[in-house]
Amino acid sequence: MHIQLSWTDYLILFVYFAFVIGIGWALKRRMKGSNDFFMSGRSIPAWVTGLAFLSANLGAQEVIGMAASGAKYGIMTSHFYWVGAIPAMVFLAIFMMPFYYGSKARSVPEYLRLRFDEKTRGFNAISFAAMTVFSSGISLHALAKLLETLVGWDYDVCISVSAFIVLVYIFLGGLTSAIYNEVLQFFMIVLGFAPLAFLALKDVGGWEGLKLKLAPVATSQGFADGTWYESWAHMGSPADNPMGIGWFGMVMGLGFVLSFGYWCTDFLVVQRAMVANSMSAARRTPLIAAVPKMLFPALVILPGMVAIALHHAGGGQLLPIGADGTPDYNMTIPTLLGKYLPTGLLGVGFTALMASFMSGMAGNVTAFNTVWTYDIYQSYIAPKRTDNHYLWMGRMATVFGILLSVGAAYLASKFNNIMDMLQLVFGFVNAPLFATFLLGMFWRRATGHGAFFGLLGGTLAAMLFHGLAHTRGALAGIKGSWISPRFEFASEMSQNFWMAIVAFTACLLLTIVISLATRQTKTPDELKGLVYSLTPKLKSEDEPWYQRPVTVGVIVMGVAVLLNLLFW
Amino acid sequence: MNFDLRLPIGLLFTFYGVVLVIVGLTTDKELYERSLGININIIWGLVLFVFGATMLLLSLKSARRPPPPPDSRPPH
């Protein structure tokens, strides 16, 4: 697999980098204090925070991973959007943003301190900071490895150049620079991949032609005809679909626990909404992001489906074959780029690919420097310094955050197992998180002890579950069942979804029981603005209908339901 | 307080549009066999150009008017 770039393609790429750094440079003068650097002075309009909200989520897994998944599992991948994203984004906008934005917390961990106590914040801040560094490292590693195979660039050069560019623009312009660049990256990704999706679909003979060619893909693997182009019809039993999961595990595990846990509590995305210029803009942020998010399957999943259809019809020639004899699904998008795009547009598509990796990395770095400076450094290491000192620390945190990411990237390239292990541990920590926020925001009786020990218990429950469950055919070990093989799942995905369900339930029950057994240390006055029942309701009657969160939220949900029915 | 983001977006995509159209006009027909015989550089170059120019126009238009007063409504 190799792509030949001409000088026009390089020109397009370099001009893009020049703009990215130029934006950081232009914002440099405006970084007067830590509030500007970490919070963009809370002055960003909703359309910008909205698109940045979406773009920060476009990490390594989005473009490459979702296209790969589209090829491997077909249109069922759309559940990651229409089930696993939209409902949670609407919930965040309507129900949770009022507390995040209204509390004036500067980060998600800080909200936990205001609502619960110091130890709950510390637990969340430290695990989150570690996680961002590793995700950004994995993103960096994936990018460098891809560029190495695709255009033959040196791995070390790719790592240092990408890391350096991200470093420069965040160092100069802080969060505003990251957000502005994320919006630029958003347009780059949409406008760079749209012609690819169009050409691929045209080549395969449109939607009908695609269905015809996808049927043999399904039947050759022992599934029903429509498995690759019908999203719900084959979810009655885990045995009926390649994801190996039933509808209940999908809806509860992905649609509820994991999706709400990510979109509603992960500071990486929530940070974008928290710096909007008004409460109304903050609430509109996830809704504005939800509109393109709903349409993204056409951009990333559809090309994957076309690729596997053409691969199968062409006798297994299109996609490169991996060491285990199955197609290397991660090469789906790069293969299509090389196949359809002529020089010129190829430069745009290639730049879009690099942009998607860099936006994911920048999102992690800005979330890291904020949590590190406010929730760890200012809270535990050096409180009560001047604002200038924290601004300086933010810049330093950007530098060592990126250095740590580079370290993590090399770790990933040397020891794949360590990265698997770390991702597993973060999975344990993340799975129960939404229960804590749900109870914190909607049940005034939830206490600090309840939240902390509930979270800990949920994490342990996830670990225990993992020790007892495994995927069919897998050996006991890092993939599960290291205590004893008690439960067997049809696929790793199904195992993960069920782990999340178990962790969430354990955390929910534990938090309730411990809260009832302990005393509420916060007065109703302290909880005002943090808990639903103690916060005055927001009114948005004086806004036009398209700016009212509830109205827009209902419309967005309606369209998501429609899309599910359309591709049922 | 921050500059209008539509300006760099407009500049970048107008530039990309112009580059793609030029490439599309100066390259041979054989190059477009891969894109199913469509000169996608010209077509998509025009799309990018229109998008970029619209962003530029919007940005210039709002720069000429005084900035709207910041949202001063209380959060609750």
Side-chain angles (χ1 to χ4, degrees), chain A residues 292-541:
Chain A
K293 184 77 183 170
M294 274 193 289
L295 306 176
F296 254 65
L299 219 54
V300 291
I301 301 176
L302 185 67
M305 291 162 63
V306 172
I308 197 67
L310 293 177
H311 179 78
H312 195 83
Q317 297 290 316
L318 182 63
L319 294 169
I321 304 295
D324 60 349
T326 57
D328 185 355
Y329 294 109
N330 281 327
M331 293 309 279
T332 304
I333 284 284
T335 304
L336 294 180
L337 277 179
K339 179 174 161 63
Y340 291 117
L341 298 191
T343 182
L345 199 55
L346 181 62
V348 177
F350 185 77
T351 306
L353 194 63
M354 283 193 76
S356 76
F357 282 91
M358 284 163 74
S359 67
M361 184 181 171
N364 276 301
V365 171
T366 46
F368 169 82
N369 67 21
T370 309
V371 167
W372 164 262
T373 308
Y374 283 153
D375 291 300
I376 299 175
Y377 186 75
Q378 188 179 30
S379 306
Y380 306 122
I381 301 173
K384 298 199 180 76
R385 296 292 178 86
T386 60
D387 188 61
N388 258 332
H389 179 78
Y390 294 122
L391 173 61
W392 170 83
M393 189 22 98
R395 292 216 154 105
M396 289 306 112
T398 308
V399 175
F400 67 67
I402 290 202
L403 287 178
L404 285 173
S405 311
V406 171
Y410 278 103
L411 202 64
S413 70
K414 297 266 153 43
F415 308 100
N416 232 328
N417 290 336
I418 294 186
M419 290 328 251
D420 283 350
M421 189 107 121
L422 283 168
Q423 277 185 314
L424 192 63
V425 172
F426 293 136
F428 296 155
V429 179
N430 271 346
L433 208 53
F434 184 60
T436 308
F437 282 85
L438 199 61
L439 290 171
M441 285 181 175
F442 298 98
W443 189 45
R444 56 193 279 191
R445 186 64 184 76
T447 66
H449 288 315
F452 180 75
F453 291 105
L455 211 48
L456 212 59
T459 305
L460 290 175
M463 232 179 265
L464 189 67
F465 177 86
H466 188 261
L468 296 172
H470 64 275
T471 309
R472 191 169 303 142
L475 295 172
I478 190 161
K479 299 278 185 207
S481 282
W482 38 270
I483 300 173
S484 108
R486 283 291 160 78
F487 309 102
E488 191 176 80
F489 290 90
S491 70
E492 213 175 313
M493 200 183 285
S494 163
Q495 186 189 338
N496 284 337
F497 290 176
W498 279 99
M499 181 178 90
I501 295 173
V502 168
F504 173 86
T505 314
C507 177
L508 192 80
L509 295 178
L510 271 174
T511 309
I512 292 176
V513 171
I514 299 171
S515 289
L516 289 174
T518 50
R519 214 165 47 82
Q520 176 59 281
T521 51
K522 301 262 179 188
T523 63
D525 209 40
E526 284 176 306
L527 292 180
K528 201 174 158 223
L530 302 170
V531 178
Y532 187 75
S533 59
L534 297 169
T535 308
K537 301 292 163 290
L538 292 167
K539 292 201 176 63
S540 51
E541 277 91 35

Side-chain angles (χ1 to χ4, degrees), chain A residues 12 30 180 191 341 343 345, chain B residues 1 3 16 34 41 44 75:
Chain A
I12 286 169
R30 297 165 203 263
Y180 273 25
L191 294 170
L341 298 191
T343 182
L345 199 55
Chain B
M1 62 160 288
F3 63 82
Y16 281 169
R34 58 167 62 194
N41 274 336
W44 205 249

Side-chain angles (χ1 to χ4, degrees), chain A residues 50-364:
Chain A
L51 297 181
F53 183 94
L54 184 54
S55 211
N57 152 260
L58 286 175
Q61 97 287 13
E62 185 84 14
V63 175
I64 296 285
M66 287 298 163
S69 184
K72 197 171 172 188
Y73 305 119
I75 201 169
M76 276 178 74
T77 309
S78 68
H79 293 320
F80 283 91
Y81 293 77
W82 302 333
V83 179
I86 305 300
M89 290 162 93
V90 171
F91 186 83
L92 172 68
I94 295 179
F95 295 106
M96 291 177 76
M97 250 359 261
F99 308 113
Y100 281 136
Y101 196 85
S103 70
K104 296 281 168 219
R106 297 169 302 180
S107 68
V108 167
E110 191 164 79
Y111 172 83
L112 286 177
R113 182 181 64 82
L114 295 171
R115 173 62 186 86
F116 294 116
D117 56 10
E118 196 58 63
K119 59 180 180 297
T120 312
R121 183 255 281 267
F123 185 70
N124 184 240
I126 292 167
S127 62
F128 180 79
M131 189 168 62
T132 48
V133 168
F134 284 106
S135 330
S136 132
I138 291 174
S139 209
L140 195 56
H141 165 66
L143 172 66
K145 210 168 156 230
L146 184 69
L147 293 181
E148 196 182 29
T149 34
L150 212 55
V151 275
W153 295 349
D154 184 61
Y155 181 86
D156 301 319
V157 174
C158 293
I159 293 262
S160 15
V161 169
S162 331
F164 183 73
I165 292 170
V166 175
L167 171 69
V168 169
Y169 76 76
I170 297 177
F171 188 88
L172 292 172
L175 181 62
T176 317
S177 184
I179 286 181
Y180 273 25
N181 274 310
E182 278 157 8
V183 175
L184 196 65
Q185 281 147 0
F186 168 80
F187 286 116
M188 203 64 224
I189 291 163
V190 171
L191 294 170
F193 287 127
L196 187 67
F198 166 75
L199 287 174
L201 188 62
K202 189 171 158 54
D203 192 25
V204 81
W207 180 246
E208 291 305 319
L210 178 60
K211 274 169 41 176
L212 272 178
K213 289 200 179 69
L214 279 176
V217 174
T219 46
S220 74
Q221 295 180 40
F223 297 109
D225 271 0
T227 317
W228 254 255
Y229 57 85
E230 293 169 339
S231 64
W232 285 99
H234 308 278
M235 295 199 66
S237 141
D240 293 345
N241 61 69
M243 274 188 184
I245 189 157
W247 64 271
F248 183 80
M250 178 63 83
V251 172
M252 277 306 285
L254 174 70
F256 183 60
V257 179
L258 285 174
S259 145
F260 281 67
Y262 174 74
W263 292 101
C264 303
T265 75
D266 196 307
F267 185 51
L268 170 70
V269 285
V270 176
Q271 185 178 31
R272 272 74 196 150
M274 283 167 98
V275 301
N277 60 13
S278 67
M279 171 65 90
S280 154
R283 296 182 77 194
R284 265 180 283 140
T285 296
L287 297 174
I288 291 172
V291 176
K293 184 77 183 170
M294 274 193 289
L295 306 176
F296 254 65
L299 219 54
V300 291
I301 301 176
L302 185 67
M305 291 162 63
V306 172
I308 197 67
L310 293 177
H311 179 78
H312 195 83
Q317 297 290 316
L318 182 63
L319 294 169
I321 304 295
D324 60 349
T326 57
D328 185 355
Y329 294 109
N330 281 327
M331 293 309 279
T332 304
I333 284 284
T335 304
L336 294 180
L337 277 179
K339 179 174 161 63
Y340 291 117
L341 298 191
T343 182
L345 199 55
L346 181 62
V348 177
F350 185 77
T351 306
L353 194 63
M354 283 193 76
S356 76
F357 282 91
M358 284 163 74
S359 67
M361 184 181 171
N364 276 301

